[in-house]
Amino acid sequence: MKLPETGWTRDQIFTALAELRAGDLPTEGGAAFAYVYDSGERAASELAAEAYRLFLATNGLDPTAFPSLLRLENEVVGFAVRHLGGGPEAAGSFTSGGTESLMLAVKTAREWAREHRPEITAPEMIVPATAHAALHKAAHYLGVKLVPTAIDPVSFRADVAAIAAAITPNTILLTASAASYAHGVVDPIAEIGQLALQHELLFHVDGCIGGFLLPYFRRLGAKVPAFDLAVPGVTSVSMDFHKYAYAPKGASVIVYRDKALRRHQMYACAGWTGYTVVNPTVQSTKSGGPLAAAWALLRAVGDQGYLDLARRTLEATRAIVGALREIDGLRVLGEPEMSLVAFTGEAPGFPLFALADAMKARGWLIQPQFSGFGSPANLHLTISAGHLAVKDRFLADLRAAVAEVRSAPPDPGLGLLLQAAASLDFSNMSEEAFMQALALAGVQGGRLPEKMATINGLLDALPPAAREAAIVAFVNDLYTHAEAASE
């Protein structure tokens, strides 16, 4: 972007921004079943935005300069402690999102092991195949070996026996999900907690997507397994506010059983000529906006308000899952305990990714998930309270889309691509070669085709490492400073 000679007017700026925003995924109205969480309450969103703006310029780097942020964080974390079964010694921190919370859980385990298990020089963490990719990212960033374990192929929950077999003298951390993003099921937390106690290991429960909502589902009569800090062996839990508390992104929290454990997540540096740096979380400078917005929503919506939002979410989920099980040709994976649903084709060869395209053409975003690790390729729905009002229209469109794709001829382009892919050595391909391969699927100039079925079919057929390399090549090409793209 080249700066204008003279500054734009407010009207020019917001006209340009509105034009850009018009091409984005709608964040309200229930059209999206991924990436956004719609409460259906515009007044709550506007209140959160106002609180965000009020604290936009504050800096969470130094609580002595902005004591308001210290007060807000202590109150928000205090709510999280109670909500997640923590005792009087529990402590936590507000973070920018689930990824940062999980990064801190892994850093804490690494630093705890350095202090209490100094004989470990090659630390390992055990991660079920359904655990969020952010745990993989944390292991990669922090130099901890990730040990994946199998899942039950029917329930899609973590396999406790596989976790037990994977524990070695180098293990420093066990992990599990409440609930798993892909299938919406809660891992057997109590049983894994016993393993943690038996082997004197830290145990983190990723409740980023379920930690806020599951206790409300339990109060509404749903069968929700125990998963929080009240479970023996659990040493930390993460929970996002920008999911089912409907706060603006990014707003998350990680809660530990005590302050002594939380100390290991912190970083301090006095080895330079400036001020002494003390960072409770990964970020240093950070706006107080997300924290203020989360605090404001918790106060404004209140316990009964969130219980009502949970009731609407549960009702929408039950209606959609029930309807999915009645649509000929579709199969729900597992028994979702959350408002997260995965479904696939009943028979091999069902045009699953074409179904996602057909729904997109009707104005709905549903998320493709690729096969692997005991789970078939499927389509994912993240259901929010705002979907209750549109569920009937969504299901009518889904039935029509299923009929459409089942009657359509097979995609000849995908067959040719898969045949070509079978002869390629993806382990030694250059980034340029990857981009050439993606171009065969319609990806050119850093832009995706309108219909994604062909490229999704190709990606699903690739081994995970090759899939990662292909996507990295595409994203590396997508983010460009080309003047032609901005003028």
Side-chain angles (χ1 to χ4, degrees):
M1 180 178 76
K2 183 180 179 181
L3 292 179
E5 290 295 325
T6 58
W8 284 10
T9 65
R10 178 185 176 87
D11 286 346
Q12 285 177 303
I13 291 169
F14 282 96
T15 296
L17 290 175
E19 290 174 355
L20 292 171
R21 188 70 180 88
D24 285 349
L25 170 76
T27 57
E28 296 178 340
F33 284 86
Y35 306 122
V36 297
Y37 299 81
D38 181 13
S39 69
E41 301 289 341
R42 178 177 288 273
S45 299
E46 291 174 349
L47 179 143
E50 187 176 348
Y52 196 118
R53 284 193 296 270
L54 184 62
F55 280 79
L56 180 65
T58 59
N59 189 345
L61 172 63
D62 185 352
T64 67
F66 298 97
S68 61
L69 297 183
L70 178 63
R71 173 70 178 270
L72 291 176
E73 179 158 352
N74 282 338
E75 292 193 7
V76 168
V77 171
F79 161 80
V81 165
R82 289 187 292 276
H83 196 64
L84 296 172
E89 300 301 317
S93 296
F94 187 85
T95 75
S96 64
T99 295
E100 185 179 8
S101 292
L102 294 177
M103 293 277 287
L104 291 169
V106 176
K107 179 185 182 295
T108 295
R110 188 189 69 179
E111 301 306 310
W112 182 90
R114 286 175 175 175
E115 181 175 313
H116 296 277
R117 303 279 299 280
E119 73 278 9
I120 297 178
T121 57
E124 300 174 355
M125 55 187 282
I126 296 177
V127 177
T130 47
H132 198 280
L135 284 166
H136 295 241
K137 183 177 180 179
H140 175 76
Y141 273 38
L142 295 167
V144 178
K145 180 182 178 182
L146 186 139
V147 180
T149 55
I151 58 171
D152 183 281
V154 176
S155 71
F156 301 101
R157 293 181 178 88
D159 185 323
V160 178
I163 294 173
I167 296 173
T168 74
N170 288 328
T171 303
I172 64 169
L173 179 66
L174 304 183
T175 65
S177 303
S180 63
Y181 178 84
H183 306 96
V185 298
V186 178
D187 285 332
I189 305 299
E191 295 173 62
I192 301 171
Q194 289 302 307
L195 287 178
L197 291 173
Q198 178 184 345
H199 294 275
E200 298 182 341
L201 294 170
L202 299 188
F203 175 25
H204 180 76
V205 174
D206 174 12
C208 288
I209 201 164
F212 189 88
L213 188 58
L214 285 172
Y216 285 108
F217 271 17
R218 185 184 291 121
R219 287 169 58 183
L220 292 168
K223 293 181 179 180
V224 176
F227 70 89
D228 58 18
L229 287 167
V231 177
V234 173
T235 53
S236 59
V237 182
S238 51
M239 177 178 77
D240 289 358
F241 291 104
H242 60 222
K243 292 186 170 73
Y244 286 100
Y246 300 105
K249 303 180 188 305
S252 180
V253 69
I254 181 168
V255 177
Y256 298 94
R257 67 184 179 194
D258 55 44
K259 285 185 179 180
L261 191 53
R262 182 182 62 178
R263 177 176 59 83
H264 294 291
Q265 82 171 22
M266 298 186 179
Y267 173 78
C269 179
W272 70 306
T273 57
Y275 60 93
T276 299
V277 171
V278 181
N279 297 145
T281 59
V282 175
Q283 292 180 300
S284 285
T285 289
K286 53 185 179 181
S287 169
L291 172 59
W295 180 93
L297 271 180
L298 292 173
R299 293 285 188 178
V301 178
D303 183 63
Q304 288 302 309
Y306 278 118
L307 186 64
D308 182 61
L309 288 170
R311 182 181 293 107
R312 288 152 55 186
T313 304
L314 185 59
E315 184 179 341
T317 302
R318 287 173 170 170
I320 290 172
V321 170
L324 286 170
R325 288 182 169 142
E326 294 176 355
I327 296 176
D328 186 34
L330 300 184
R331 174 169 64 93
V332 175
L333 299 180
E335 295 291 336
E337 291 155 317
M338 263 283 294
S339 47
L340 309 169
V341 181
F343 64 95
T344 190
E346 188 68 53
F350 181 88
L352 197 66
F353 300 131
L355 178 59
D357 284 342
M359 288 299 286
K360 184 178 180 181
R362 289 166 167 80
W364 305 99
L365 173 75
I366 55 180
Q367 188 178 49
Q369 296 184 140
F370 300 125
S371 58
F373 311 102
S375 178
N378 60 83
L379 298 179
H380 172 91
L381 304 175
T382 296
I383 301 170
S384 301
H387 288 122
L388 181 61
V390 299
K391 63 178 176 57
D392 293 338
R393 182 162 53 87
F394 168 76
L395 290 169
D397 282 347
L398 182 63
R399 293 184 186 98
V402 168
E404 174 188 315
V405 300
R406 293 183 75 181
S407 63
D411 178 5
L414 177 59
L416 293 173
L417 277 173
L418 295 178
Q419 185 177 2
S423 64
L424 297 175
D425 179 10
F426 289 97
S427 63
N428 294 310
M429 287 185 74
S430 65
E431 187 162 311
E432 181 181 359
F434 266 116
M435 290 307 298
Q436 291 174 349
L438 290 176
L440 295 174
V443 177
Q444 292 180 319
R447 294 175 181 170
L448 289 172
E450 278 192 26
K451 294 186 176 182
M452 288 290 296
T454 301
I455 187 169
N456 282 333
L458 173 62
L459 291 171
D460 185 57
L462 297 180
R467 189 185 301 158
E468 290 168 359
I471 294 173
V472 167
F474 164 69
V475 173
N476 194 34
D477 187 61
L478 182 65
Y479 286 92
T480 176
H481 62 83
E483 290 297 330
S486 61
E487 291 301 322

